Amino acid sequence: MCGIVAYIGSKNATDILIEGLTRLEYRGYDSAGIAVIINNKIEVFRSVGKLLNLKNIISEKKPVSNIGIGHTRWATHGKPSYENAHPHSSFGISLVHNGIIENYLDIKRNLADKGYKFESETDTEVIAHLIHSNYKDDIFEAVKVSVKQIKGSFALAVISVNEPDKIILARHDSPLVIGISDGENFAASDIPALISYTNKFIFLEENDIAVLTKDSVTCFDFEGKKTDREIKIVDINPVMAEKAGYRHFMQKEIYEQPRAIIDTIRGKYSLEEGMVLLPELQNISIENFKRFNIVACGTSWHAGLIGKFYIEKYAKIPVEVDIASEYRYRDNIIDKNTLFIAISQSGETADTIAALRIAKKKGASILSICNVIGSTITRESDATFYTHAGPEIGVASTKAFTTQVVALFMLAIYFGQRKGDLSCEKVKEMLSELLKLPELIEHVLKLDEKIENIARNFKDFSSFLYLGRNVNYPVALEGALKLKEISYIHAEGYPAGEMKHGPIALIDKNMPVFVIATDSKVYDKVLANIQEVKARDGIVIATVTEGNNEVEKFTEFCIKLPEISEELSVFLNSIVVQLLAYHIAAELGLDVDQPRNLAKSVTVE
Ligand code: M6R
């Protein structure tokens, strides 16, 4: 949700800001802008729409400077427009902001009384004027005073024409990372913006202010007391954040899943001993827990729903799964006997962070499943299971989802084993099957052309139903979400057995129904659901297990998947729903990686 980048050094800041914004565009893409200091003047360049529009302006004007800030926006206050695009300025001070200022109207009124004029509808412009109103001759002091006057969430990067040798950063409830190099320093909302320049990072903590010069980074708390912030080495291959010949990031990320799964489980098991090894969980004393509470949003919530099946089956611990935005406003029964599991690709989702903090306050232990090293959720957890999917750039989550599900499968075995519910023999069997998964996924990826053909047949329908049962019910939800978010086609996921309680009324010849009918203990029931759809002229697209010749009697759109246990069939079915959504959106010529109205990490409520 909004991307920030900042640079100070001896290279041309403009080039670095534009490259950083290109890598951050997935966080927001309704307008973009940069501010640089040239000849004792702040020059601001902004444009509405995709970054390309800003790039065209920059390549025409060719600004050169050694210091600058940049922003790519996902609108909160004020529609996407030139006036609302960042950076916002006030008399020689410019800033970029990610977050939401809750008391901006009060501050705006006070500033208006003092004579400040506002050009935009944003809460950000209010901060620019506030900082100016607090400015005497020291931009650090002005930011320090101002951050105490604002309520809400913010990551800020501020420059002042009077002090062209420094950038001031501040964070509260919005991520900000500093990249360190020789004779130059950087800042960004997220590491991918900086991986071409450095592997040394400082993750700013809550209520940190930092002063960046080209040769130094100094961190303070909001009272102005110096704080020690550790420099962390994070090695991400920059190629992982490129499209590498694929048409879209989403397509590349779908294809990366076999590798991502291998990386996620690497070093976390011993097949000979039949053990899952998770030393990162040593702080979590399993014996204390009477129940688990999984909390997440969107796709991560779907992973959590699958996790419930795994944990209850293998570890025999009751699990409740909540949507974070609901959880935070509910009277939760949670205490020190609860293990709270936060699942988040980004580790920066505001609702999930808020839910985690509530659980922590009530004494729960916090375990997170996360893909981004050093993110807020991981820092606030007692233990983290990192998913190692690599940077996920496509807004629609794919490899993050399957690696979260793998993590949950491993956790279920781990807890089952520690509780004495799973024998080493059983674990060996489960691990052996899990290790075959990457190859089986490769097999499903070979069905891509077939799925693309199916997509061509269905791209013009206006509504879809997705049905699944048991552990595949969350995959039906995920399939519907994928289709909605990138193709803008209405879709609903339903537990197949619930169809007769309502959605069956929707079925007619204009309603394609995607049914997950791979082998399972409820296969016969799902087959009956397929017949019910056919009897009402609905069109069925189905996944089945190789060797099944029954379902194709009811549909020509039958996708045969390799044989696998019901528990792990979720992975193969997930690849199919991802590819189907991807091809429908691509066929429709839509912007698959940056669908309208969405942003990759939702860092505001
Ligand atoms: O970074 P998180 O996993 O916390 O993000 C949660 C959701 O915002 C995310 O999964 C969203 O639903 C995706 N667009 C789904 O593809």
Side-chain angles (χ1 to χ4, degrees):
M1 199 129 289
C2 297
I4 288 179
V5 61
Y7 174 77
I8 184 160
S10 44
K11 297 192 186 118
N12 186 6
T14 308
D15 299 338
I16 290 162
L17 298 176
I18 294 294
E19 153 136 24
L21 291 179
T22 306
R23 293 203 188 265
L24 287 181
E25 205 182 4
Y26 66 90
R27 296 180 67 94
Y29 31 83
D30 60 44
S31 57
I34 64 166
V36 289
I37 301 179
I38 302 174
N39 297 332
N40 301 324
K41 217 175 142 233
I42 293 191
E43 300 278 0
V44 178
F45 303 88
R46 298 184 288 180
S47 80
V48 186
K50 290 292 179 75
L51 190 61
L52 186 65
N53 301 339
L54 179 69
K55 283 181 178 168
N56 290 338
I57 296 173
I58 299 293
S59 62
E60 195 188 307
K61 308 256 179 194
K62 299 191 178 27
V64 177
S65 168
N66 301 131
I67 174 170
I69 53 178
H71 189 268
T72 177
R73 181 169 185 251
W74 185 87
T76 56
H77 293 69
K79 62 180 189 307
S81 68
Y82 177 82
E83 290 73 24
N84 290 336
H86 297 213
H88 288 281
S89 305
S90 178
F91 307 100
I93 291 169
S94 274
L95 61 82
V96 288
H97 164 223
N98 173 23
I100 291 181
I101 305 305
E102 287 159 12
N103 59 340
Y104 84 105
L105 285 175
D106 291 342
I107 300 173
K108 193 171 182 175
R109 263 191 298 273
N110 287 337
L111 291 168
D113 290 346
K114 289 184 186 159
Y116 284 94
K117 300 263 178 302
F118 295 85
E119 288 171 4
S120 77
E121 302 155 274
T122 65
D123 48 350
T124 306
E125 190 186 9
V126 174
I127 318 175
H129 287 317
L130 179 69
I131 293 173
H132 179 263
S133 73
N134 287 318
Y135 186 73
K136 303 221 165 52
D137 51 8
D138 185 337
I139 186 67
F140 168 73
E141 282 300 321
V143 173
K144 197 182 88 190
V145 173
S146 303
V147 289
K148 284 199 251 169
Q149 296 172 342
I150 53 185
K151 288 196 192 116
S153 60
F154 52 85
L156 297 172
V158 188
I159 54 174
S160 161
V161 73
N162 295 335
E163 298 165 67
D165 59 342
K166 63 182 74 140
I167 298 171
I168 311 299
L169 308 169
R171 90 151 266 181
H172 178 75
D173 278 350
S174 274
L176 205 48
V177 58
I178 296 172
I180 297 169
S181 192
D182 278 348
E184 55 183 359
N185 287 309
F186 310 78
S189 312
D190 210 348
I191 291 180
L194 308 179
I195 50 177
S196 314
Y197 307 107
T198 183
N199 64 351
K200 287 190 214 140
F201 297 100
I202 292 177
F203 296 93
L204 284 186
E205 296 195 4
E206 276 305 277
N207 302 338
D208 271 356
I209 304 189
V211 181
L212 237 63
T213 70
K214 76 191 210 0
D215 298 308
S216 66
V217 174
T218 323
C219 298
F220 304 86
D221 63 18
F222 279 6
E223 302 308 319
K225 200 171 130 244
K226 269 196 188 170
T227 52
D228 271 344
R229 296 288 173 246
E230 193 192 339
I231 298 177
K232 295 206 167 121
I233 308 291
V234 180
D235 285 310
I236 297 179
N237 180 350
V239 176
M240 282 178 91
E242 311 281 357
K243 278 192 208 143
Y246 287 92
R247 209 171 139 204
H248 298 99
F249 277 110
M250 182 183 178
Q251 187 186 29
K252 173 182 173 242
E253 288 158 6
I254 291 173
Y255 272 82
E256 277 178 338
Q257 289 174 101
R259 191 273 311 145
I261 288 173
I262 294 168
D263 285 352
T264 298
I265 60 176
R266 195 188 300 285
K268 290 190 163 71
Y269 63 90
S270 158
L271 189 59
E272 294 85 68
E273 292 171 67
M275 301 265 295
V276 166
L277 312 165
L278 295 173
E280 55 268 63
L281 263 65
Q282 68 199 14
N283 294 342
I284 306 265
S285 46
I286 166 89
E287 296 70 29
N288 298 342
F289 303 125
K290 297 208 165 40
R291 57 191 278 273
F292 286 3
N293 200 169
I294 299 180
V295 180
C297 297
T299 288
S300 299
W301 176 66
H302 297 156
L305 292 172
I306 298 174
K308 174 182 167 76
F309 279 89
Y310 290 160
I311 295 165
E312 292 187 341
K313 181 173 170 102
Y314 300 123
K316 313 244 178 299
I317 298 170
V319 182
E320 242 185 288
V321 189
D322 277 274
I323 292 176
S325 54
E326 287 296 306
Y327 181 91
R328 60 188 293 188
Y329 293 111
R330 183 156 78 66
D331 288 325
N332 308 292
I333 301 172
I334 188 159
D335 57 22
K336 61 179 181 11
N337 299 123
T338 312
L339 178 66
F340 179 96
I341 306 180
I343 308 178
S344 175
Q345 185 285 130
S346 61
E348 301 294 350
T349 300
D351 287 320
T352 312
I353 295 171
L356 177 156
R357 288 180 183 157
I358 292 167
K360 208 171 185 177
K361 235 187 197 157
K362 292 188 174 180
S365 296
I366 313 290
L367 168 62
S368 54
I369 297 176
C370 191
N371 192 37
V372 178
I373 296 170
S375 55
T376 304
I377 286 180
T378 65
R379 286 205 310 273
E380 299 195 15
S381 299
D382 298 308
T384 299
F385 188 128
Y386 279 109
T387 46
H388 301 295
E392 193 180 61
I393 311 291
V395 165
S397 189
T398 52
K399 61 178 180 172
F401 173 69
T402 41
T403 52
Q404 287 165 347
V405 178
V406 161
L408 287 156
F409 187 72
M410 296 288 275
L411 282 168
I413 303 180
Y414 174 79
F415 285 115
Q417 202 156 37
R418 273 187 57 177
K419 280 187 67 226
D421 287 319
L422 285 179
S423 68
C424 292
E425 277 318 301
K426 176 71 188 162
V427 172
K428 256 186 216 176
E429 209 181 281
M430 292 169 76
L431 287 174
S432 304
E433 194 185 28
L434 183 66
L435 293 172
K436 288 190 195 129
L437 196 55
E439 204 186 313
L440 297 180
I441 291 178
E442 296 285 5
H443 186 103
V444 180
L445 289 169
K446 293 204 177 99
L447 301 173
D448 195 2
E449 217 179 294
K450 180 177 172 104
I451 298 169
E452 191 176 0
N453 279 332
I454 296 179
R456 272 190 210 112
N457 278 281
F458 288 95
K459 70 180 175 37
D460 295 320
F461 282 81
S462 58
S463 210
F464 271 71
L465 254 185
Y466 282 74
L467 301 180
R469 264 192 106 152
N470 274 348
V471 72
N472 273 303
Y473 156 53
V475 179
L477 293 178
E478 177 60 7
L481 177 62
K482 287 288 87 91
L483 188 67
K484 271 187 275 216
E485 62 182 343
I486 59 170
S487 73
Y488 318 143
I489 294 173
H490 169 254
E492 269 188 74
Y494 245 88
E498 265 293 290
M499 190 177 63
K500 58 188 171 298
H501 296 287
I504 198 162
L506 292 169
I507 290 170
D508 62 14
K509 63 180 182 1
N510 297 317
M511 175 63 86
V513 185
F514 185 102
V515 187
I516 299 173
T518 41
D519 285 356
S520 72
K521 55 179 162 304
V522 286
Y523 167 75
D524 289 339
K525 318 257 173 219
V526 175
L527 185 63
N529 294 136
I530 289 178
Q531 284 157 331
E532 285 157 14
V533 172
K534 286 312 291 180
R536 284 155 185 86
D537 292 333
I539 318 153
V540 173
I541 310 164
T543 55
V544 296
T545 304
E546 273 166 9
N548 180 319
N549 301 320
E550 208 163 13
V551 171
E552 59 201 357
K553 289 183 201 144
F554 302 100
T555 175
E556 60 194 279
F557 306 107
C558 198
I559 303 155
K560 295 194 175 182
L561 304 180
E563 206 178 319
I564 195 166
S565 66
E566 181 178 0
E567 287 70 30
L568 295 191
S569 67
V570 292
F571 291 95
L572 309 189
N573 283 309
S574 296
I575 307 293
V576 177
V577 297
Q578 292 169 357
L579 284 172
L580 183 66
Y582 169 73
H583 284 302
I584 289 179
E587 280 290 320
L588 291 170
L590 295 169
D591 192 341
V592 172
D593 287 330
Q594 296 176 347
R596 69 183 181 204
N597 304 339
L598 292 175
K600 184 69 184 163
S601 29
V602 185
T603 55
V604 295
E605 188 175 357

